[in-house]
Short mmCIF file of all heavy atoms in Angstrom, two decimals:
data_model
loop_
_atom_site.label_atom_id
_atom_site.label_comp_id
_atom_site.label_asym_id
_atom_site.label_seq_id
_atom_site.Cartn_x
_atom_site.Cartn_y
_atom_site.Cartn_z
N ASN B 169 87.26 187.20 163.42
CA ASN B 169 86.13 187.93 163.95
C ASN B 169 85.20 186.92 164.56
O ASN B 169 85.42 185.68 164.51
CB ASN B 169 85.46 188.82 162.92
CG ASN B 169 84.90 187.99 161.74
OD1 ASN B 169 84.40 186.89 161.90
ND2 ASN B 169 85.00 188.55 160.52
N LEU B 170 84.14 187.43 165.17
CA LEU B 170 83.25 186.55 165.93
C LEU B 170 82.60 185.52 165.12
O LEU B 170 82.48 184.29 165.48
CB LEU B 170 82.12 187.38 166.60
CG LEU B 170 81.33 186.59 167.71
CD1 LEU B 170 82.25 186.09 168.86
CD2 LEU B 170 80.21 187.56 168.31
N GLU B 171 82.28 185.88 163.85
CA GLU B 171 81.58 184.97 162.97
C GLU B 171 82.52 183.87 162.59
O GLU B 171 82.14 182.61 162.57
CB GLU B 171 81.14 185.75 161.74
CG GLU B 171 80.08 185.03 160.94
CD GLU B 171 79.73 185.80 159.66
OE1 GLU B 171 79.70 187.04 159.68
OE2 GLU B 171 79.51 185.16 158.61
N GLU B 172 83.79 184.19 162.31
CA GLU B 172 84.77 183.16 161.94
C GLU B 172 85.05 182.25 163.14
O GLU B 172 85.16 180.99 163.01
CB GLU B 172 86.10 183.80 161.48
CG GLU B 172 86.01 184.54 160.21
CD GLU B 172 87.20 185.33 159.79
OE1 GLU B 172 87.74 186.02 160.75
OE2 GLU B 172 87.61 185.33 158.69
N LEU B 173 85.13 182.85 164.31
CA LEU B 173 85.39 182.04 165.56
C LEU B 173 84.25 181.04 165.73
O LEU B 173 84.53 179.87 166.09
CB LEU B 173 85.56 183.02 166.72
CG LEU B 173 85.89 182.27 168.06
CD1 LEU B 173 87.29 181.75 167.99
CD2 LEU B 173 85.78 183.27 169.21
N GLU B 174 83.02 181.54 165.59
CA GLU B 174 81.89 180.53 165.67
C GLU B 174 81.99 179.44 164.72
O GLU B 174 81.68 178.28 165.01
CB GLU B 174 80.57 181.36 165.45
CG GLU B 174 80.14 182.18 166.70
CD GLU B 174 78.60 182.25 166.83
OE1 GLU B 174 77.88 182.05 165.94
OE2 GLU B 174 78.15 182.62 168.03
N GLN B 175 82.42 179.76 163.50
CA GLN B 175 82.48 178.75 162.43
C GLN B 175 83.49 177.68 162.82
O GLN B 175 83.34 176.52 162.64
CB GLN B 175 82.94 179.41 161.15
CG GLN B 175 82.38 178.73 159.94
CD GLN B 175 80.90 178.25 159.95
OE1 GLN B 175 80.08 179.03 160.29
NE2 GLN B 175 80.65 177.02 159.70
N VAL B 176 84.62 178.12 163.45
CA VAL B 176 85.66 177.17 163.96
C VAL B 176 85.02 176.23 164.92
O VAL B 176 85.13 174.97 164.78
CB VAL B 176 86.81 177.88 164.64
CG1 VAL B 176 87.68 176.86 165.34
CG2 VAL B 176 87.60 178.72 163.65
N HIS B 177 84.22 176.74 165.86
CA HIS B 177 83.78 175.91 166.94
C HIS B 177 82.57 175.10 166.55
O HIS B 177 82.36 173.96 167.03
CB HIS B 177 83.51 176.74 168.20
CG HIS B 177 84.82 177.40 168.74
ND1 HIS B 177 85.87 176.60 168.93
CD2 HIS B 177 85.13 178.66 168.96
CE1 HIS B 177 86.86 177.35 169.33
NE2 HIS B 177 86.45 178.63 169.38
N ILE B 178 81.72 175.64 165.67
CA ILE B 178 80.59 174.88 165.14
C ILE B 178 81.10 173.57 164.55
O ILE B 178 80.52 172.48 164.67
CB ILE B 178 79.75 175.71 164.12
CG1 ILE B 178 78.95 176.71 164.92
CG2 ILE B 178 78.85 174.80 163.25
CD1 ILE B 178 78.19 177.75 164.07
N ASN B 179 82.32 173.68 163.90
CA ASN B 179 82.84 172.54 163.26
C ASN B 179 83.74 171.73 164.23
O ASN B 179 83.58 170.52 164.37
CB ASN B 179 83.69 172.95 162.01
CG ASN B 179 82.80 173.32 160.93
OD1 ASN B 179 82.01 172.52 160.39
ND2 ASN B 179 82.84 174.61 160.55
N LYS B 180 84.69 172.35 164.88
CA LYS B 180 85.66 171.68 165.69
C LYS B 180 85.05 170.91 166.92
O LYS B 180 85.47 169.71 167.14
CB LYS B 180 86.72 172.62 166.16
CG LYS B 180 87.98 171.93 166.69
CD LYS B 180 89.05 172.86 167.16
CE LYS B 180 90.11 172.06 167.97
NZ LYS B 180 91.10 172.82 168.53
N THR B 181 84.29 171.52 167.67
CA THR B 181 83.64 170.89 168.85
C THR B 181 82.17 170.59 168.60
O THR B 181 81.69 169.55 169.07
CB THR B 181 83.71 171.70 170.15
OG1 THR B 181 84.16 173.07 169.81
CG2 THR B 181 84.66 171.05 171.15
N GLY B 182 81.50 171.50 167.87
CA GLY B 182 80.09 171.41 167.81
C GLY B 182 79.62 170.18 167.04
O GLY B 182 78.64 169.56 167.39
N ALA B 183 80.33 169.78 165.91
CA ALA B 183 79.86 168.79 165.02
C ALA B 183 79.69 167.42 165.74
O ALA B 183 78.75 166.71 165.56
CB ALA B 183 80.77 168.64 163.79
N LEU B 184 80.66 167.17 166.61
CA LEU B 184 80.65 165.83 167.29
C LEU B 184 79.55 165.81 168.43
O LEU B 184 78.94 164.79 168.64
CB LEU B 184 82.03 165.51 167.78
CG LEU B 184 82.45 164.09 167.70
CD1 LEU B 184 82.27 163.48 166.32
CD2 LEU B 184 83.93 163.89 168.18
N LEU B 185 79.42 166.95 169.04
CA LEU B 185 78.37 167.01 170.05
C LEU B 185 76.98 166.90 169.41
O LEU B 185 76.07 166.16 169.80
CB LEU B 185 78.41 168.37 170.78
CG LEU B 185 79.21 168.39 172.10
CD1 LEU B 185 79.29 169.85 172.59
CD2 LEU B 185 78.56 167.58 173.13
N ARG B 186 76.85 167.57 168.21
CA ARG B 186 75.60 167.50 167.50
C ARG B 186 75.33 166.03 167.10
O ARG B 186 74.25 165.49 167.19
CB ARG B 186 75.71 168.27 166.26
CG ARG B 186 74.50 168.17 165.31
CD ARG B 186 74.67 169.01 164.09
NE ARG B 186 73.72 168.44 163.05
CZ ARG B 186 73.10 169.13 162.12
NH1 ARG B 186 73.43 170.37 161.96
NH2 ARG B 186 72.39 168.44 161.30
#
Side-chain angles (χ1 to χ4, degrees):
Chain B
N169 62 35
L170 191 61
E171 201 183 321
E172 291 170 319
L173 185 67
E174 284 211 340
Q175 209 48 51
V176 170
H177 296 308
I178 284 171
N179 289 297
K180 193 181 167 186
T181 10
L184 217 52
L185 268 173
R186 172 182 162 153

